[in-house]
Amino acid sequence: MRRRGSVRGPIRRTVLVAALGLVSAGATGCGIRLDRDPRMPDLSPVDVLRDAVARTLAATEADDEAADAITAFAAAVGPPWNPPEGLAEPVPPPNPEPSPLTAADGLADAARRFVDASPGLGRGTDLTAVVLADVAAGALLHLSDLDPEAAGSIRDDLAGAVRTALDGGRTDGDATGAPVDPSGSSSAADGAGVHPLVALITAAHIAEYVYERASVHLPADAPARQESHSRIAGLSGITAIAPSLAENVSVPSSSPAWDVAEPPEDAQTALAAIRDAEDSLVGRLWSARSTVPPAVFLSWLDDSARARRRADGFQDLRFEVTQRTPEEDG
């Protein structure tokens, strides 16, 4: 496979440290490779999905601008899973080996596989699912350039997957979160004393305010300004949906004014403020991942990735997962 070219714009890395109670280790980059004991050949739905995406990326050939991105995605996902040697009875790989794929077909397949599988993945803090969602969002960014129609179709299917995930979540017993009092504090809240979903809603409110302030400083033909109303509507959707993802999550009020780290004063600072707001939103989304269904997580991640790209902040991946053993955490 030929790999050359460079990815446009910086690849941002938000370092997210996670303690795993697994006998597993990252393969390369921020990928997660799961080594299975020969006596345990059964794979979870997330494992099967990861293997499928890994095989798709390994079969994808690119020598254009998408080549470096595909390399980054493959490193994040890790190698395909093959049954260990020495089993009493041979076990076939969980997915067949695909034929060689073009960059557009490979990126489309990687993203679509996550969209199709996400309603059945359940909820939780599985880092593999988060990495796969991040790769899917990055794949859709590049696919929008290579095949806009295919990218749009996958996003349409994603909307359906989100509805399915939300409908299923209403009766899912493990989807409830810790009760949150009207002030936004919780007995089981994160280190800041605020429930992750409340923090996510607040980040969405702040991002809305940033877009309102920033857009007036941007030229009329700037993509970030042209899509500002649509993005504000999407952020409002987060504030409407997030409270339904856990029990007794109160909706914090939006403030008439927020302290913005980089106040928009011209086009350059306006774009910087938008990028900072999207980064903060994704950070809060990460913290709330245990209560957000995978399809919803991907939808919000994809929306933010595309919004940041319009603000001159193209990203292949948003997360770098640094793993530590429980002993290291102690």
Side-chain angles (χ1 to χ4, degrees):
M1 185 190 310
R2 292 175 294 168
R3 298 287 171 85
R4 60 183 174 84
S6 60
V7 179
R8 289 162 294 170
I11 300 177
R12 180 176 63 85
R13 293 288 194 270
T14 299
V15 179
L16 303 167
V17 179
L20 297 182
L22 301 172
V23 185
S24 63
T28 54
C30 62
I32 297 174
R33 180 169 61 86
L34 301 180
D35 290 333
R36 293 283 178 173
D37 188 286
R39 295 168 296 179
M40 298 175 59
D42 293 336
L43 300 178
S44 70
V46 175
D47 294 334
V48 174
L49 173 61
R50 191 204 66 80
D51 174 76
V53 174
R55 292 180 189 278
T56 290
L57 294 172
T60 301
E61 300 178 347
D63 58 1
D64 53 17
E65 291 180 339
D68 284 354
I70 292 170
T71 300
F73 298 154
V77 171
W81 187 90
N82 288 305
E85 298 178 358
L87 293 176
E89 297 182 5
V91 176
N95 295 282
E97 203 69 36
S99 301
L101 298 166
T102 65
D105 289 342
L107 292 170
D109 187 72
R112 186 175 292 281
R113 283 183 181 276
F114 186 88
V115 170
D116 291 343
S118 59
L121 297 182
R123 305 191 189 190
T125 57
D126 191 308
L127 296 181
T128 309
V130 174
V131 170
L132 292 172
D134 199 13
V135 168
L140 284 174
L141 282 179
H142 284 278
L143 188 61
S144 294
D145 292 334
L146 299 173
D147 191 339
E149 184 176 352
S153 174
I154 293 172
R155 287 197 177 95
D156 289 343
D157 291 342
L158 175 60
V162 169
R163 286 193 294 271
T164 300
L166 290 176
D167 289 343
R170 293 192 180 96
T171 58
D172 188 351
D174 65 359
T176 59
V180 180
D181 66 28
S183 66
S185 62
S186 170
S187 57
D190 59 20
V194 177
H195 190 283
L197 286 175
V198 174
L200 175 63
I201 294 168
T202 300
H205 279 314
I206 294 173
E208 288 183 62
Y209 174 69
V210 168
Y211 272 95
E212 291 170 353
R213 286 194 57 185
S215 60
V216 298
H217 295 285
L218 297 173
D221 60 349
R225 177 168 180 169
Q226 290 179 334
E227 296 295 326
S228 61
H229 291 296
S230 175
R231 184 58 183 140
I232 289 173
L235 293 166
S236 297
I238 293 177
T239 64
I241 293 172
S244 70
L245 300 179
E247 288 185 345
N248 303 324
V249 174
S250 59
V251 181
S253 300
S254 58
S255 172
W258 298 93
D259 290 330
V260 180
E262 297 186 55
E265 298 176 350
D266 52 29
Q268 184 176 358
T269 56
L271 293 176
I274 289 174
R275 292 193 297 268
D276 184 67
E278 295 292 352
D279 290 348
S280 297
L281 181 75
V282 169
R284 295 301 187 183
L285 179 59
W286 164 269
S287 298
R289 66 193 184 280
S290 63
T291 54
V292 180
V296 181
F297 187 97
L298 174 57
S299 177
W300 290 346
L301 193 67
D302 177 55
D303 286 346
S304 181
R306 288 187 291 139
R308 200 178 192 282
R309 180 184 188 180
R310 291 192 294 266
D312 296 342
F314 189 94
Q315 300 169 331
D316 284 334
L317 297 168
R318 281 131 296 279
F319 304 130
E320 177 178 331
V321 180
T322 303
Q323 301 176 67
R324 298 190 299 179
T325 64
E327 289 77 11
E328 290 174 328
D329 282 330

